[in-house]
Amino acid sequence: MSKSDTGGTSAQEDPEDELELLGWFHNGLSRHATEALLLSNGKDGSYLLRKSHEGPNCYALSVRAKDSVKHFQVTRSGTTYTFGFNEFRSIKEFVSHFANEPLLGSETGTIIVLKCPYPREVEEPSIYESVHVHTVMHSGRTENDLVANAASLGTKEGYLIKQGAIIKNWKTRWFTLNRNELKYFKDKMCAEPIRTLDLMECTGIQFDYSQEKVNCF
């Protein structure tokens, strides 16, 4: 009979429950929601830990680096956490590492300082506007007409130089990135895109050093 059967040793804690006690672990937050949250309400160096869709023991450390958000993989095996080149035997060791404000070097060569964790629960001010006028316009619509709708969160937009598919000359185009859709337009004032690229179909991105242009891919 084992010690646990006799009550001499308590059962090992579930690592998932252990992470729930971590104030900056956001269990149900998606990648896109994380980017929107850190860009709108975080600051340079803000970071959080969240579940990753890669697998049951995979997590992602999302960090705001100036005007973008970088994502780094964290894996768990039992109570051991692997992050970068380091292994941590417990959640306590893992958290202590971040208390020292570690530096991260991304694939692009950018150095990121992990400054402050972004909490799962953020206190909101209890300030409300007083209602002085309340009436209706009698539009004739019913509750069936109340369809919730909003534009996708725009992650990035700006001008890029693109090479033509047939005529291999370079032209400046206006690009927008909304969730998994990359669109480019003739210029910023055009309403209809020249083409829309579904990034879900993208299997990889590779730098092209043959064009003698900076950041060409």
Side-chain angles (χ1 to χ4, degrees):
M1 182 177 293
S2 64
K3 290 183 178 180
S4 59
D5 293 333
T6 60
T9 303
S10 60
Q12 187 180 19
E13 290 186 8
D14 184 359
E16 199 71 34
D17 295 337
E18 197 175 45
L19 280 175
E20 289 293 345
L21 298 177
L22 190 62
W24 41 281
F25 174 56
H26 299 244
N27 193 359
L29 206 61
S30 68
R31 180 189 181 101
H32 296 299
T34 297
E35 293 176 351
L37 181 66
L38 292 179
L39 288 174
S40 63
N41 209 35
K43 56 186 178 180
D44 186 32
S46 295
Y47 60 90
L48 59 85
L49 185 68
R50 60 181 177 83
K51 286 283 289 184
S52 172
H53 68 277
E54 297 292 335
N57 295 319
C58 294
Y59 302 85
L61 184 79
S62 301
V63 189
R64 175 169 174 175
K66 295 184 178 179
D67 295 327
S68 65
V69 176
K70 308 294 184 183
H71 306 275
F72 302 90
Q73 189 177 61
V74 177
T75 58
R76 188 196 77 215
S77 177
T79 58
T80 299
Y81 295 85
T82 302
F83 175 62
F85 299 104
N86 299 94
E87 283 191 356
F88 306 93
R89 293 173 295 177
S90 67
I91 188 67
K92 184 178 181 180
E93 286 188 9
F94 185 61
V95 174
S96 296
H97 177 72
F98 290 94
N100 294 315
E101 296 191 356
L103 299 174
L104 289 182
S106 65
E107 294 179 354
T108 60
T110 304
I111 299 299
I112 305 169
V113 182
L114 304 183
K115 297 179 181 178
C116 55
Y118 191 91
R120 182 169 60 244
E121 297 180 3
V122 180
E123 184 178 354
E124 298 181 5
S126 56
I127 301 175
Y128 298 92
E129 295 287 339
S130 299
V131 177
H132 293 283
V133 178
H134 186 194
T135 185
V136 295
M137 294 188 297
H138 298 288
S139 63
R141 298 195 304 167
T142 67
E143 63 273 12
N144 295 327
D145 298 313
L146 298 178
V147 180
N149 187 25
S152 299
L153 293 171
T155 306
K156 294 289 182 183
E157 61 180 16
Y159 284 104
L160 294 174
I161 301 176
K162 178 187 176 298
Q163 188 179 47
I166 300 176
I167 302 176
K168 300 299 182 179
N169 58 340
W170 294 87
K171 294 182 179 179
T172 301
R173 298 297 188 214
W174 178 257
F175 281 75
T176 63
L177 175 63
N178 291 291
R179 295 190 184 274
N180 63 311
E181 287 189 343
L182 181 64
K183 299 180 181 181
Y184 63 91
F185 305 75
K186 183 176 181 181
D187 55 49
K188 187 176 181 180
M189 304 305 296
C190 291
E192 294 296 326
I194 298 175
R195 188 179 177 188
T196 300
L197 304 176
D198 185 0
L199 299 185
M200 296 294 289
E201 299 178 355
C202 179
T203 58
I205 299 176
Q206 184 175 351
F207 281 99
D208 186 356
Y209 299 102
S210 65
Q211 301 295 330
E212 297 183 354
K213 290 183 178 292
V214 179
N215 298 327
C216 183
F217 62 93

